[in-house]
Amino acid sequence: MNLRKFLAIFSMGALILTSCSSDDDSAPVSEEEVITTMEVMLTDGTDTVKLRFFDADGADGPTAPTSTVSGALKASTTYTGSILILNATESPAEEVNEEIKEEAAEHQFFYITNDLGITTTYTDKECDYNGTSCSDAANTAPVGLTFSLVTTDATGNGMLRFVLRHEPNKDAAGVSGGDITNAGGDPDIDWTFDISVE
């Protein structure tokens, strides 16, 4: 009888321990980046136009984000573009670009405009950041921290939207060329700047 009681108690204890076991063995989940600042620098080799987005408390806080554009783009000009992402809730501000580079396969920027004939082209790839060979096609999907932007002879006012997607489907139709339609994933940042071309 004592043996039966012992086995019953032992079995129940084992069941409880199994039910309450830690999930430490599972793969770590990467937390979503906190983004307060996006700075886009567009330079033609002579002049630089800076587009800046700022949200003091991050995406879900009560403070409304603001943005500025330092000047007009030139018509019929090729610009070299670069993007800096910061988390200014840390002191000093944390450069989120490092995390994007470390997780290059899980991030992609999209540049969207239907105005003034502006076109953009990616100038970086996952392999630029993850230490793999760029001769391996599996590592050549774009990330978008750097790009080129070309204006036409059209002038006037327009818009330029920047979207950073987390875990997009880079193999989906059009995505590697910058079409966001089939990208999926979650937006880390999505902001539209009002621009002008003169």
Side-chain angles (χ1 to χ4, degrees):
M1 187 71 162
N2 287 339
L3 180 60
R4 285 185 187 161
K5 284 183 180 178
F6 174 78
L7 289 175
I9 292 169
F10 179 80
S11 297
M12 289 177 60
L15 182 62
I16 291 169
L17 286 173
T18 303
S19 301
C20 298
S21 68
S22 170
D23 290 332
D24 290 343
D25 296 338
S26 62
V29 176
S30 176
E31 293 184 17
E32 187 175 319
E33 302 84 1
V34 175
I35 295 174
T36 62
T37 312
M38 174 173 62
E39 295 179 351
V40 182
M41 306 298 284
L42 298 170
T43 181
D44 65 357
T46 304
D47 299 314
T48 299
V49 176
K50 179 178 178 180
L51 294 72
R52 186 174 191 269
F53 160 90
F54 181 67
D55 187 354
D57 48 19
D60 296 325
T63 305
T66 60
S67 66
T68 57
V69 178
S70 67
L73 298 173
K74 299 175 189 173
S76 303
T77 302
T78 298
Y79 289 90
T80 299
S82 62
I83 301 174
L84 175 64
I85 302 293
L86 300 171
N87 171 11
T89 63
E90 303 285 337
S91 181
E94 175 190 10
E95 188 174 320
V96 181
N97 284 40
E98 294 308 311
E99 187 170 345
I100 295 170
K101 290 175 183 179
E102 289 171 8
E103 300 176 359
E106 299 172 15
H107 291 89
Q108 185 173 338
F109 280 93
F110 295 87
Y111 328 110
I112 303 165
T113 183
N114 295 321
D115 303 321
L116 306 171
I118 292 172
T119 57
T120 56
T121 305
Y122 294 109
T123 58
D124 67 351
K125 304 171 185 174
E126 292 173 14
C127 55
D128 295 325
Y129 307 119
N130 63 17
T132 58
S133 171
C134 288
S135 62
D136 181 354
N139 299 306
T140 58
V143 178
L145 286 167
T146 64
F147 61 100
S148 67
L149 181 146
V150 180
T151 60
T152 66
D153 59 358
T155 59
N157 297 321
M159 53 75 77
L160 187 54
R161 178 181 168 203
F162 289 83
V163 182
L164 173 59
R165 286 284 174 90
H166 185 81
E167 296 187 341
N169 181 0
K170 294 189 179 187
D171 294 324
V175 173
S176 64
D179 184 350
I180 199 171
T181 306
N182 300 312
D186 297 310
D188 280 339
I189 190 167
D190 186 337
W191 190 258
T192 300
F193 293 95
D194 295 319
I195 60 166
S196 59
V197 179
E198 299 176 351

